[in-house]
Amino acid sequence: DYEQALVWYEKAAAQDDPDAVGQLGVMYSKGKGVAPSWRRARELYQRAIDLGNSMSVKNMQILTKSIQNVS
């Protein structure tokens, strides 16, 4: 249930949980439970990276390549 996941990830992200911030990035990049937004996904991935989430580095690279392929 993406709607419930969004609520809990946002609560955890508000407390600077790096995994929650990264998962919010995934939700926005794929449009799962939210309107898709590459801009918001990039912001969230960068914040997650800054908080130490290494998986967000890979996700940011994938998103960047996707954006480049569309342009």
Side-chain angles (χ1 to χ4, degrees):
D1 181 0
Y2 292 113
E3 199 171 298
Q4 279 295 318
L6 180 64
V7 170
W8 289 107
Y9 283 142
E10 285 178 340
K11 287 181 182 191
Q15 296 179 26
D16 289 332
D17 180 289
D19 295 330
V21 176
Q23 286 302 315
L24 282 173
V26 171
M27 290 179 76
Y28 276 94
S29 71
K30 297 180 184 237
K32 300 289 185 174
V34 296
S37 171
W38 285 351
R39 178 173 290 173
R40 184 70 178 130
R42 287 174 57 95
E43 291 170 356
L44 289 162
Y45 286 150
Q46 187 58 59
R47 182 171 163 219
I49 291 166
D50 293 345
L51 291 169
N53 183 290
S54 60
M55 188 62 184
S56 289
V57 173
K58 182 178 180 181
N59 288 337
M60 178 75 90
Q61 291 169 341
I62 292 168
L63 180 63
T64 300
K65 282 185 180 185
S66 296
I67 292 169
Q68 289 171 347
N69 288 338
V70 171
S71 301

